[in-house]
Amino acid sequence: MTLDKLLVIAAALFCCGLYTVMTRRNAVAVLMGVELILNATNINFVAFSFFLSRVMGGQIFAVFVIVLAAAEAAVALAIFLRMFSTTGTVEVDAADQLKG
Amino acid sequence: MSGPADFIFYAAAAMTVGAAILVAILPNILYAAVALLFSFAGVAGLYVLLSADFLAATQILVYVGGILVLLLFAVFLSNRISDGKTTNPTHFRLPAAAICLVLFGVLSYAAVSTPYAVKKGVYLPTTADIGELLMTRYLLPFEVASVLLLAALIGAALLSRPDRAASVKGEMEEGKR
């Protein structure tokens, strides 16, 4: 287990998340991709905190990222449910009411 | 670090990345959500190996126990799973795959070729340190995060409750009948 390997794992996780965000049309699946990206950044924070310094800052930052992810997921899913009740679908292409 | 720890590291890494790839390509959104569970669990395993015991527990509690259940509820409430067709349509697959592969190459090259001043990591319990830092040095972000969570709670409850005007109207119409 070295820092390089962990960074490559995090990069792979990030790219999977980015691919999910770019290709999915279902908004819930897009949110899954966002969660993957947040996990990738968290791995980086913890890995740098473990290998480069013994300061706990990296882990504290990861805790805040998890808190923000939870809040974001709750609000986003509430928005998706409201969107489903108004438009009958949660596909991101369908949310074009603001399009001029 | 060698022997069993290395084996666990590679197992956790394979589980994390393999499940993440499944999340990206599975055509059924329910299966993708289950694959996401394994990805989160693998990340928790990596945290344990990185001497982040508190974070590993938080990852399981918040991600697997909270966010994933929330995602599953959203899938159940907002999709017509019984349609039987693909529940997770995709678009722009080829350009997205090209961009992601190129980005992965660049990121991996940058990660491998950068000379980091790596120290030998030590394994210590972290929970007490994190608790102490949250109450001293990181007190302001901690309080801001708690306000944010309260706002998110209220906002989510307000957004997801049924439309009151519509339901009152429906009740009146039922009364007329």
Side-chain angles (χ1 to χ4, degrees), chain B residues 72-138:
Chain B
L72 280 174
F73 265 111
V75 170
F76 291 143
L77 290 175
S78 69
N79 285 67
R80 296 184 184 89
I81 302 220
S82 49
D83 274 1
K85 280 186 304 183
T86 168
T87 49
N88 204 358
T90 55
H91 54 180
F92 307 130
R93 258 190 292 188
L94 271 180
I99 290 170
C100 288
L101 283 177
V102 170
L103 186 66
F104 176 64
V106 172
L107 285 175
S108 308
Y109 176 73
V112 173
S113 64
T114 310
Y116 292 110
V118 175
K119 293 178 204 156
K120 184 152 173 46
V122 285
Y123 288 92
L124 290 170
T126 58
T127 313
D129 288 344
I130 288 177
E132 202 175 310
L133 280 170
L134 279 180
M135 281 294 122
T136 54
R137 189 169 166 198
Y138 297 97

Side-chain angles (χ1 to χ4, degrees), chain B residues 36-53:
Chain B
L36 198 64
L37 188 155
F38 285 99
S39 191
F40 289 159
V43 173
L46 290 178
Y47 287 162
V48 170
L49 288 172
L50 287 171
S51 173
D53 48 355

Side-chain angles (χ1 to χ4, degrees), chain B residues 13-14 17 54-55 58 75 77 84-85 98 102 112 116 122 129 136 152-153 167-169 172 174:
Chain B
V17 177
F54 176 76
L55 261 180
T58 312
V75 170
L77 290 175
K85 280 186 304 183
V102 170
V112 173
Y116 292 110
V122 285
D129 288 344
T136 54
L153 196 70
S167 66
V168 168
K169 207 174 152 197
M172 280 171 66
E174 292 216 342

Side-chain angles (χ1 to χ4, degrees), chain A residues 10 13-18 20 30-42, chain B residues 16 19-21 23-24 35-36 39-40 43 63:
Chain A
L13 210 57
F14 175 79
C15 289
C16 287
L18 191 65
T20 311
V30 172
L31 194 66
M32 288 183 195
V34 174
E35 303 295 344
L36 279 182
I37 291 176
L38 290 172
N39 266 285
T41 52
N42 265 357
Chain B
T16 307
I21 291 171
V23 172
L36 198 64
S39 191
F40 289 159
V43 173
Y63 268 109

